[in-house]
Amino acid sequence: MQILGIELVKQRDGAVVLRATRADGSRIWQKQQGTHAAFFPLHDITHYAVETVLVIHDAFLGLLAAGWSIEETEGKSARGPLPLNAQFVEAVVGTLDAERASAARWTAAEFNETLATHMA
């Protein structure tokens, strides 16, 4: 991954700002407020963990490092749909988000079943 820095900064008003610094020194950021400020920091940290452990360079953080905007990672821009690896990582992260929201520890079978549903 080419991003030199990833920061999550909690603001006084409860909002959270994600800032990423690319290898060329350019920066991108996104501010989340309200319920998004509670959800997205964990979601983004989970992206970092999944992309790092699985060594996938063309998912959310890798796309940001390659020059994509945060909005472009939604797959609805002129860049077109997300690469398959990015779609897979998003499904894994979404499954981990769902487990976290359930307040229960899933078995591997439950995780795989939910991941299969996300991938469908």
Side-chain angles (χ1 to χ4, degrees):
M1 202 170 312
Q2 298 175 10
I3 290 182
L4 294 179
I6 301 168
E7 300 173 87
L8 293 165
V9 181
K10 187 169 184 176
Q11 306 287 298
R12 289 185 180 161
D13 64 358
V16 176
V17 175
L18 165 68
R19 287 193 299 229
T21 303
R22 296 186 178 111
D24 67 3
S26 63
R27 300 179 96 186
I28 53 174
W29 62 275
Q30 183 177 54
K31 184 175 183 177
Q32 299 293 346
Q33 297 176 306
T35 57
H36 293 292
F39 173 78
F40 275 102
L42 292 172
H43 179 82
D44 294 338
I45 289 170
T46 305
H47 263 283
Y48 177 79
V50 170
E51 293 177 38
T52 301
V53 169
L54 297 180
V55 193
I56 296 177
H57 300 288
D58 59 346
F60 177 65
L61 296 172
L63 296 175
L64 295 182
W68 289 45
S69 71
I70 292 173
E71 293 75 23
E72 288 173 320
T73 65
E74 295 173 6
K76 300 174 185 171
S77 72
R79 287 192 190 261
L82 294 175
L84 289 177
N85 280 342
Q87 293 176 37
F88 171 71
V89 167
E90 196 59 50
V92 171
V93 171
T95 301
L96 290 167
D97 288 341
E99 179 185 26
R100 187 170 34 250
S102 76
R105 296 215 36 153
W106 293 353
T107 64
E110 290 169 325
F111 180 88
N112 289 336
E113 182 180 330
T114 304
L115 178 58
T117 300
H118 278 253
M119 289 300 295

